[in-house]
Amino acid sequence: MSDLLIDSMGTKNILMSANAFLTLKNNLNKNIGSYKTKGFLFRFGKEFGMESAKNHLKNGKRTKKVGKMHSRLGHVKDVTFTGEILKHSDGTIECINARGKWVESFEAELHVKNYGYATECICHTLCGFASGALSYEYGESIIAIETKCVAKGDPCCEYEIRLEQDWLPEQEELINLYQNDNILSELEMTYDALLHHKQMLEKISKFHSQLTKKVTDKHSMDEIIRTAYQLLNIPILIEDIHGNQLSQVGLTEKQLQTIKNSQSNLKYLGDKQSASYYAGPSYEKLVSPVLINNKNYARCTFFYFPPQEIDDNDYLFLERISTVIALCILYEEAQFEEQRRMKSTILERLIHHQNIQDIESYFKFLPFKFQPPFSTAVIHIDRIKPNNEMIDLHEQLIQLSALIKKWELPSIFAVVGEEITLLTSQNIDKQASIKKLNKIFQQMEKQNNNYKYTLGISSAFTDLKQFDRTLKEARIALRFPNKQLITDYEDLGILGDIATNMSVEQLHEMSKKTLKDLYHFDDPRKKELLHTLYVYLLNGQRLKETMEELALSIGGIQYRIKQIEELLQVTVKNASTSAYILLVIQALILSGELQFD
C-alpha cells in the first residue's frame, strides 16, 4: 500500500505513507528502545481509534461492523470478528469469546520487509486502534491483544478482545506497558533523555579536551590524573601490564594495601564496551585497558570505597582517561627512543673506539647526572622453558628503563648482539649500585616469569678509554658459573686476572700441561669426566653433594674419580693440586673456551 490513513479530525483526514510510518518507528526504536516503542505505538493507535470511533458513532449507535474501520482506513485488507461484546442493562460490559483476524496487516508486512521475521507479535498500532475505538464506544477499558502474527511466521494475524481487568494477571506486563503513559509524556521523556544525553556528551567532550591539553602541554601522568580526579572525584590507579603502579590519586595507603591483598577475591560482574566491572567485599572497581596499536600497555582503574552503585556513564570517562594515558605513554616512548638512540650512540662509540675523548660532552644531554667512576655490566637473558619465540630485547629495554628510573640508578644501555650492555655511573659506592641492580633484576624476573637474567659487572674505572677492558671483564664475570644473578669481576680475584691477561694460546698451553688427556674435551667421554671432576672439586671433594648434583651413585662417582686420576697421573686429594686444576678449568670457562651444559 502506498498511503495509510492514520488520523481523522472532523471531515479532514491526515494521510501518512507506509515509509513515513517506518521512519517514525525506526526513530522511536533508536531513541527510546524497542520495548518502549511498543507502548508508544499502542497508545498512538489508541488515540487514533478513539477519534475514529467518535466520527462513526451517531446517536450512540455504531454505523459500521466491528473492525471495518481498519479496512476502510487501509490498516488491513479485511477483518473478521467472532463472539460478542455485550452491554447489560446494569451498565456492565461483557466480552464473550471476542476474537478475530486481521488480513494483510500493514504493520506485519512492513516489519517482515524491513526487519525480517520477529520473535513476538508486532501489530501494536492495530491493537491500540481496536482498543481505543471499542473503549470509546462502550465506555469501559477494552483491550485487543494480538495472539498470532504474520511477522513472526504465523499463517495470519489473530487478536483477542477482553476487558482490561479480565486480561490481568495473564498479560499484566503488556497491559502496564500499553496503559502506562500517553504519547505526550513519552515524547517528553524522549526529549529529556536526548537532552541528558547531549549534556553528557558535552561534559565528556570537555573532560577529554582538558586532559588532552595537559598531554600537549607536556604535563606528567601524575598531573593528568590529578586533573581527572578533581573533575570526577573518583580514585584512580594506573598500572602497567605487570601490576606495577605507574600513578595513583585519591587512594590512601590502607586502601592501596587492601587492593593489593584482595585481587583474588574480586568477582567479575561484566563488561560495558571496553570497561570491565569487578566487586569485592570492601570495594568495587571499573577497569579499562590502555591500548596502543591493539596491544595492551597498561590499565586504568576507578575504585569505589565502599561498594556502591556505579554511575552508568563512568565507563565513558574511564575510556577517555585510558586514551589520554595512551598518548602519555606514546610521548614517553618517543622520549625514550630519543634518549635510547643517544645512549646507544655513546656505547657504540666506546665499543668501536670512535672519538672517545669527545664522548663526555654528550653527558650533559642526559636527564641525570652521569660522571666517573663508572662500571660496565653485561646482561644475558635465557628462557626457563625454551620455545621458538625470539626474546623482544626492545621490550626488555623499556622495562629496564622504567625500573632504572624508579631506583635512580644513572645508567646508559644498549643492545649489543644478543645481550644488553650497561654503563653505570657510580655516584654512590659500587656495592650500593649492585644492590640496586639486584632489586631491579629481581623485579624483572617477576615481570617476566619465563626469563632468567644473569649479569656480569666489571671493576670500577674513571677513564672511558678503559671501557674495552671493562667490557671484557664484565663478559668474563658473566660466564662464571656460580648460579648467581650478579657476578662482580672483582670477586673473581686471581682467576679474573688469568682470564683477562692470559692469551688464548697461553691458556691452552697451561691446560694441556695440567689436564693431560682430559684436555681433549672435544671427546664427549673425556668432557663428561672433566665435568665430573669440576663438580667434584667445586663441592670440596664431597661425594654426597657431587652425587646429588650429577644424579649418580656414590660407586659411579668413585669409579669416575679413579679414571680421572689415572688420566691426570696425580691424586686429586692433594689440596694444592686440586685447587690448581679447578683454577685451570674455571679459566677455560671464563675465557669462553669451555662450556658445560
Side-chain angles (χ1 to χ4, degrees), residues 187-389:
L187 290 173
E188 287 175 347
M189 181 190 69
T190 302
Y191 173 77
D192 290 342
L194 289 172
L195 180 61
H196 175 73
H197 185 63
K198 178 177 179 290
Q199 291 171 339
M200 181 56 63
L201 287 177
E202 288 174 349
K203 183 179 179 182
I204 292 168
S205 178
K206 183 178 178 182
F207 175 80
H208 193 217
S209 296
Q210 287 178 282
L211 296 190
T212 305
K213 189 175 186 305
K214 291 286 183 182
V215 177
T216 56
D217 290 343
K218 298 184 179 180
H219 287 255
S220 68
M221 188 182 297
D222 289 340
E223 291 172 313
I224 289 167
I225 69 162
R226 274 200 297 271
T227 300
Y229 179 69
Q230 289 166 3
L231 294 169
L232 300 173
N233 199 32
I234 301 173
I236 306 167
L237 175 64
I238 313 294
E239 299 170 292
D240 66 18
I241 56 173
H242 307 291
N244 300 311
Q245 178 181 309
L246 300 178
S247 186
Q248 74 88 12
V249 63
L251 293 164
T252 65
E253 288 299 324
K254 183 178 179 181
Q255 287 172 336
L256 286 169
Q257 193 60 42
T258 299
I259 292 166
K260 184 177 179 181
N261 296 337
S262 62
Q263 295 290 345
S264 59
N265 298 327
L266 293 176
K267 181 182 178 183
Y268 170 69
L269 300 180
D271 292 336
K272 192 74 172 283
Q273 291 191 18
S274 64
S276 301
Y277 291 80
Y278 297 87
S282 56
Y283 68 90
E284 293 184 4
K285 71 176 185 177
L286 182 59
V287 185
S288 181
V290 177
L291 300 175
I292 302 173
N293 290 331
N294 294 319
K295 183 179 179 182
N296 192 355
Y297 273 67
R299 56 178 173 262
C300 296
T301 308
F302 281 167
F303 284 91
Y304 304 85
F305 283 90
Q308 57 197 265
E309 185 176 350
I310 299 175
D311 190 284
D312 288 341
N313 294 305
D314 279 2
Y315 79 95
L316 295 171
F317 292 99
L318 184 62
E319 287 176 345
R320 269 57 182 185
I321 294 174
S322 295
T323 302
V324 171
I325 295 301
L327 293 176
C328 280
I329 292 173
L330 283 172
Y331 176 68
E332 288 178 357
E333 279 203 352
Q335 283 187 311
F336 168 76
E337 282 299 320
E338 184 180 348
Q339 291 179 10
R340 185 182 70 83
R341 282 193 294 271
M342 182 172 65
K343 294 172 184 178
S344 295
T345 299
I346 292 173
L347 282 175
E348 285 170 6
R349 287 177 62 178
L350 286 170
I351 291 169
H352 299 295
H353 312 287
Q354 296 174 346
N355 299 322
I356 292 177
Q357 65 273 13
D358 297 331
I359 286 178
E360 290 190 13
S361 63
Y362 284 81
F363 293 169
K364 64 185 175 184
F365 299 110
L366 296 171
F368 44 75
K369 188 177 180 181
F370 201 70
Q371 62 184 28
F374 306 107
S375 61
T376 305
V378 175
I379 304 153
H380 184 73
I381 309 172
D382 282 311
R383 282 192 177 84
I384 296 172
K385 296 178 181 177
N387 57 46
N388 295 326
E389 293 181 8

Side-chain angles (χ1 to χ4, degrees), residues 34 64-65 75 113 125 198 235 238 266 268 284 307 314 331 378 385 393 457 465 470 510 549 584 590:
S34 59
K64 300 279 184 181
K65 292 183 179 179
H75 300 173
K113 182 178 178 181
T125 307
K198 178 177 179 290
I238 313 294
L266 293 176
Y268 170 69
E284 293 184 4
D314 279 2
Y331 176 68
V378 175
K385 296 178 181 177
L393 291 177
I457 189 166
K465 292 178 182 178
T470 61
M510 181 177 70
E549 188 169 337
V584 171
L590 293 181

Side-chain angles (χ1 to χ4, degrees), residues 544-560:
K544 184 175 183 297
E545 286 84 346
T546 306
M547 174 190 71
E548 290 174 351
E549 188 169 337
L550 295 175
L552 292 171
S553 65
I554 289 181
I557 298 295
Q558 290 173 330
Y559 175 72
R560 286 191 181 184

